[in-house]
Amino acid sequence: MTDKLAVEDLTESEAQAELGRLAALLAAANRAYHTEDAPEITDAAYDALKARNAAIEARFPELKRDDSASDQVGAAPLDGFAKVAHSIRMLSLGNAFEPEDVAEFDSRIRRYLGLPDDAPLAYTAEPKIDGLSLSLRYVQGRLVQAATRGDGEVGENVTANARTITDIPESLTGAPEILEVRGEVYMSHADFAALNARQAEKSDKQFANPRNAAAGSLRQLDAKITAARPLLFFAYSWGEVSAPLAETQMGAIARLKALGFQTNPLTVLCDGVEALLEHYARIEQARATLGYDIDGVVYKVDDLGLQARLGFRSTTPRWAIAHKFPAELAWTRLEAIDIQVGRTGALSPVARLTPVTVGGVVVSNATLHNEDYIAGRDSKGEVIRGGKDIRVGDWVQVYRAGDVIPKVADVDLSKRAEGVAPYVFPATCPECGSDAVREEGDAVRRCVGGLICPAQAVEKLKHFVSRAAFDIEGLGAKQVEQFYRYGWIKEPADIFTLQERYGSGLQQLKNREGWGEKSAKNLFEAIEEKRKIPFGRLLFALGIRHVGEQASTLIARNYGTWDDFIAAMDGAKDYEGPEWERLLGIDGVGTVMARALVGAFAEPHERGSIDRLTEYLTVQEAARPRTDGSPVAGKTVVFTGSLEKMTRAEAKARAEGLGAKVAGSVSAKTDLLVAGPGAGSKAKKAQDLGIETIDEDGWLTLIGDA
């Protein structure tokens, strides 16, 4: 089974199957944890799975999915709160689970910065609080706004609730004019027990764990309820500041403490990996005595100047990582096996379990991955679990090491009832009855029904209206299911003809359950607003396999306009020629992604659906990176050879930050080649094409970093 294989051992087909499995699990976890405040697994399990997803994408970038967790932070804010756009994104952290992972974290930083192994590099280490992230904005020393993390870009305005927490100062003396303090709202074990006792006395709902209690308490529409709950706050970071707090992470934490915030006393400064691991061991041993929940230790580069150089990936900082505590096991009964059909037609088996508590979290579902896993085989046909298959009614072991929905790891055959038949995986789609085909080298079966399959059609429509795609206010997953069931929308273009088809009287919609004249009118207005859409968002919204959010933005920036892109796709339909080479020349676009993209626009039914949609849209030219005074904005740059004053990753990030497009190969579209020592064929090709070539010093002079 692919989840048992190390990332470096995965074949391309195994990696593809594993990414599909991870996407489904992570999406379910985001909804449960961030939106419903009712997670079925721990943060440690979630983060470990997310890290595996990122590692596979790093090895197989062309397989990155449009619903990849690497592009997501948290989940969309609840509708009951006003939305707050964070001036600086609130990101999640990458994870480490073994000492080797921490050593690799240190090595990655040194490689990025070009530091030798023996160069001093200090880190801070602090407990990772299991609570709810909160950002506090102070202007001229006064608390003016408090917001949850939400999806990292937009959170919920919980200012009135935050003012009731005694650990959060209303005013500060000696703070920068603008200061965003970030930290974690949590509840102590003693306060949690007392709260649940009070809930039981009133016959009210009891909370599963302190994290749920803290999150549910902070996200109350009535601040009086929050005020009656015993919430606490640790400050450990910051967002926007008008003046630096300090030159180091440790110094900034000390400054926050001096301003009146509670900071964790177990935060220490460590010199190197060995010291980090020693502090991790001390905190793990003291974990049960702390009086509050933690799920690991966070390591951060201490020097804030180095943090700035290291920068960020799409959802995580390069300069920090969370070293998580080990996973846990439990045994329970497998009550049923359900088959879910995804947007790409993949049939995913899900175990329905007798609810069991694993590490303080109640678990009722678990992944079974695919038919091989159920039968006791891995994707190569090798025996797993000693060849024991999984059957309905079995007593099964649930394992929570990195899986958002836990996995069934083992079976107790001594408790299997006599005469229980082996599970037979369906060969037809349970949603539409079409054949479910398993192609050679693929770990999953897929329904071939396409858009005639209601599950696939609905999932595609849900993706189309998702936050990173069209994000139509009032038209979410629930409404998509409702409208599809009514027969009102079958493909994306139908969304933009709703009002036309049902008239200005809005009778069809406003008389339905959950809709009134005002809500119907608001929906139609929201749809009208989305007739103008950025190129990258439109491409991502189409839900083309392997083409994720980042790839869509990258492709949009390379082609500029939708018309030019369509012409290029038509020119590449035979998977050869200049337009095909141009597509493959985009850094980050591999053969698998390129074939999926070109194939989607060449397939008559899919192309017809896309063309019908774009008739109703004005597709905006791709948003360009900064061009204010940048000498390389809009230019295509290729780096080759060895760079001596910065790493290749740092050079690429710097170029893109200045508005350049960084390509992986030289072509007629290349504007500039930066060639270090050891430059080979790329330098020769650039010379043959008459492309300007400069060395590293010339590049630094050009961008003003000399």
Side-chain angles (χ1 to χ4, degrees), residues 370-381 384-385 438 443:
N370 56 40
E371 58 188 297
D372 284 340
Y373 191 80
I374 294 174
R377 302 185 299 265
D378 64 16
S379 60
K380 297 179 181 178
I384 59 174
R385 295 190 307 274
R438 181 176 177 181

Side-chain angles (χ1 to χ4, degrees), residues 294-312:
I294 63 173
D295 57 4
V297 180
V298 176
Y299 308 139
K300 300 174 183 176
V301 172
D302 186 49
D303 188 315
L304 298 186
L306 294 183
Q307 285 190 15
R309 281 185 61 189
L310 288 160
F312 303 87

Side-chain angles (χ1 to χ4, degrees), residues 496-549:
F496 295 92
T497 63
L498 270 174
Q499 187 170 12
E500 176 186 334
R501 284 182 285 136
Y502 296 118
S504 58
L506 310 176
Q507 295 300 319
Q508 292 288 336
L509 185 56
K510 74 176 185 180
N511 292 332
R512 296 283 179 170
E513 182 180 355
W515 292 91
E517 185 165 349
K518 182 177 180 181
S519 57
K521 181 175 181 293
N522 290 342
L523 173 62
F524 289 140
E525 289 177 352
I527 291 172
E528 285 300 308
E529 290 177 2
K530 297 299 181 176
R531 288 183 185 269
K532 184 178 289 186
I533 192 78
F535 178 175
R537 274 184 174 258
L538 170 59
L539 182 57
F540 175 66
L542 297 179
I544 298 170
R545 197 174 176 195
H546 307 304
V547 184
E549 184 181 355

Side-chain angles (χ1 to χ4, degrees), residues 192-335:
F192 171 70
L195 173 62
N196 261 353
R198 292 195 298 273
Q199 294 289 101
E201 288 175 4
K202 297 184 294 182
S203 298
D204 286 344
K205 175 185 174 183
Q206 296 187 55
F207 295 97
N209 53 52
R211 191 270 169 195
N212 285 21
S217 299
L218 183 64
R219 300 165 84 184
Q220 291 288 329
L221 296 179
D222 184 354
K224 293 179 182 177
I225 298 177
T226 305
R229 302 278 175 83
L231 297 180
L232 302 170
F233 179 78
F234 271 134
Y236 55 70
S237 185
W238 56 92
E240 182 181 0
V241 290
S242 56
L245 292 172
E247 295 182 353
T248 64
Q249 180 77 24
M250 204 68 181
I253 296 301
R255 179 83 181 279
L256 291 176
K257 183 177 181 180
L259 288 171
F261 292 95
Q262 296 295 319
T263 60
N264 199 296
L266 294 176
T267 303
V268 301
L269 191 64
C270 297
D271 183 14
V273 172
E274 185 175 343
L276 290 175
L277 296 177
E278 288 175 355
H279 193 56
Y280 173 89
R282 285 193 293 269
I283 291 179
E284 186 175 24
Q285 290 174 0
R287 182 182 183 185
T289 66
L290 296 180
Y292 51 86
D293 281 346
I294 63 173
D295 57 4
V297 180
V298 176
Y299 308 139
K300 300 174 183 176
V301 172
D302 186 49
D303 188 315
L304 298 186
L306 294 183
Q307 285 190 15
R309 281 185 61 189
L310 288 160
F312 303 87
R313 305 180 190 88
S314 60
T315 61
T316 61
R318 291 189 180 91
W319 41 265
I321 198 168
H323 189 179
K324 311 308 283 291
F325 294 136
E328 299 188 40
L329 300 167
W331 288 88
T332 189
R333 184 78 63 190
L334 173 62
E335 297 180 349

